[in-house]
Amino acid sequence: MGTTSFLTRVRGLLRIRNQLVRECLAELLATFMLIIITLSSSAQKTTSFEMKGNILTSYLGGALAVMVGIYTAGGISGAHMNPAFSFAMCLTEQFPWWKFPIFVVVQMLGSFVSAGAVYILYYDAIWHYSNGTLTVSGPRETASIFATYPADYVSIPNGFLDQVIGTGVLILGIMSIMDTRNKAVPKGLEPVVVGLLVLSIESSMGANCGCPMNPARDFGPRLFTYVAGWGPEVFSRGNGWWWVPLVAPLLGAAVGTYLYQLFVTFHYPEEDSEILAEQGSIVLVNTAIDPDTRMLTKEKDTGETVPAGYPPAPRASSTASPTAPVTPLKES
């Protein structure tokens, strides 16, 4: 009873009513979960001689991390965790452009902090494996635990194309999973299916450059390695590779988005807009938010906390690297 009262008092003190702040906090936590599991899998594969070379373990960790991140904040912020996905949602008018830079900053911050947490977690292992020298290249390099680097035989143009194709497949796959007008995934299992999608892409397209497909996943940890002691080589290795995982996934997101529109959503039969709202794909814009107070309408009237997307649609999707309430993909 005392514990319950204590938690109630703490909740009363710390509860945030501003919807945007709540979304940012959830997005920060989801991104943190995604990156800490992903990088920890990579650190374990690199520094453990028993597991060295076990790439599948690293890929599996990354895929499961996506699933965990979506379950962490999918119903609050949509759990984008990836600027490329946020960009795709803006292109389909499922997410407002003014929120895009805010979410990118939050995602970068989450990935930077999680890289620091992984460094602390594997501090002894990293220094033992590297023989006391933090290097970006060579047989005992450890920089690739945190950021991606192309294989020696991969050129910048080939690596750029690799990221456009990989991210395009990722976004196209996520859109098909979230589109309930298509072959709907059972409600609640969308994060699992997206995780399997990520695993399939990493297993088939990861050899060239590690399949970042996420500007935040790559740049945040890369920036951490720069300030933590690996030095400026983290930006110069691979003929200045660092900018490719920042730019190419955004282009890939646009390609994947418009391919799905062109080949699938443009050709749905005309239906009543209310029916489409019930059957539609995803929702990343909370239309119930009062523009003046940034609070949900019901919350403002009653002081009661309600989940994002209130009132819930009949077939609300909680999906993957994205979600929230429900609206169909724009057929523009």
Side-chain angles (χ1 to χ4, degrees):
M1 191 68 179
T3 303
T4 303
S5 300
F6 172 75
L7 292 177
T8 301
R9 289 196 298 270
V10 172
R11 177 178 179 272
L13 290 172
L14 300 182
R15 179 186 176 207
I16 295 174
R17 293 176 176 270
N18 184 283
Q19 181 68 15
L20 177 61
V21 175
R22 287 157 55 182
E23 290 176 359
C24 288
L25 287 174
E27 187 70 12
L28 179 68
L29 184 61
T31 306
F32 177 85
M33 294 297 290
L34 167 70
I35 305 302
I36 194 172
I37 297 175
T38 299
L39 299 188
S40 293
S41 300
S42 179
Q44 187 168 252
K45 174 185 73 70
T46 300
T47 61
S48 172
F49 289 99
E50 291 77 14
M51 301 186 67
K52 190 162 181 64
N54 192 345
I55 298 177
L56 183 59
T57 299
S58 180
Y59 290 162
L60 185 60
L64 294 176
V66 171
M67 180 188 72
V68 172
I70 296 167
Y71 277 124
T72 298
I76 310 300
S77 68
H80 295 195
M81 304 180 292
N82 185 344
F85 180 78
S86 299
F87 184 64
M89 292 300 95
C90 289
L91 292 177
T92 55
E93 299 179 22
Q94 303 289 337
F95 191 65
W97 281 104
W98 67 267
K99 279 188 180 181
F100 177 68
I102 298 174
F103 264 48
V104 170
V105 170
V106 170
Q107 291 155 1
M108 293 289 184
L109 177 61
S111 62
F112 183 91
V113 172
S114 58
V118 171
Y119 179 66
I120 294 171
L121 177 64
Y122 279 93
Y123 181 85
D124 289 341
I126 290 171
W127 283 95
H128 172 73
Y129 176 80
S130 63
N131 288 327
T133 304
L134 300 178
T135 57
V136 181
S137 55
R140 292 298 182 97
E141 64 85 17
T142 48
S144 61
I145 290 174
F146 299 91
T148 63
Y149 297 90
D152 293 338
Y153 55 82
V154 176
S155 65
I156 291 293
N158 188 200
F160 190 94
L161 182 62
D162 174 280
Q163 281 306 284
V164 170
I165 294 175
T167 310
V169 172
L170 173 67
I171 297 300
L172 195 156
I174 290 176
M175 288 199 163
S176 64
I177 291 167
M178 295 191 307
D179 187 0
T180 54
R181 290 171 290 171
N182 204 330
K183 185 69 174 175
V185 175
K187 184 179 178 181
L189 291 181
E190 300 94 332
V192 178
V193 179
V194 173
L196 292 174
L197 170 65
V198 172
L199 178 61
S200 68
I201 295 173
E202 290 184 335
S203 300
S204 59
M205 303 182 191
N208 282 340
C209 49
C211 245
M213 301 184 296
N214 182 341
R217 176 262 176 272
D218 192 85
F219 187 75
R222 189 184 301 275
L223 185 60
F224 172 81
T225 56
Y226 173 75
V227 300
W230 276 265
E233 193 181 349
V234 299
F235 291 105
S236 61
R237 180 182 162 187
N239 296 317
W241 162 263
W242 68 272
W243 65 271
V244 175
L246 273 178
V247 177
L250 298 179
L251 179 58
V255 170
T257 297
Y258 289 127
L259 280 178
Y260 190 73
Q261 298 284 316
L262 181 62
F263 283 84
V264 179
T265 63
F266 281 0
H267 313 295
Y268 283 129
E270 293 293 332
E271 298 180 47
D272 181 81
S273 58
E274 292 183 3
I275 296 177
L276 281 178
E278 295 178 1
Q279 297 177 347
S281 334
I282 43 180
V283 176
L284 295 150
V285 179
N286 194 335
T287 55
I289 297 176
D290 186 299
D292 296 325
T293 63
R294 307 303 305 163
M295 292 170 57
L296 296 178
T297 304
K298 180 180 177 183
E299 188 175 357
K300 185 177 79 168
D301 295 339
T302 66
E304 177 184 349
T305 302
V306 292
Y310 179 90
R315 286 193 64 186
S317 161
S318 87
T319 79
S321 252
T323 97
V326 172
T327 346
L329 290 171
K330 299 291 181 182
E331 299 182 13
S332 55

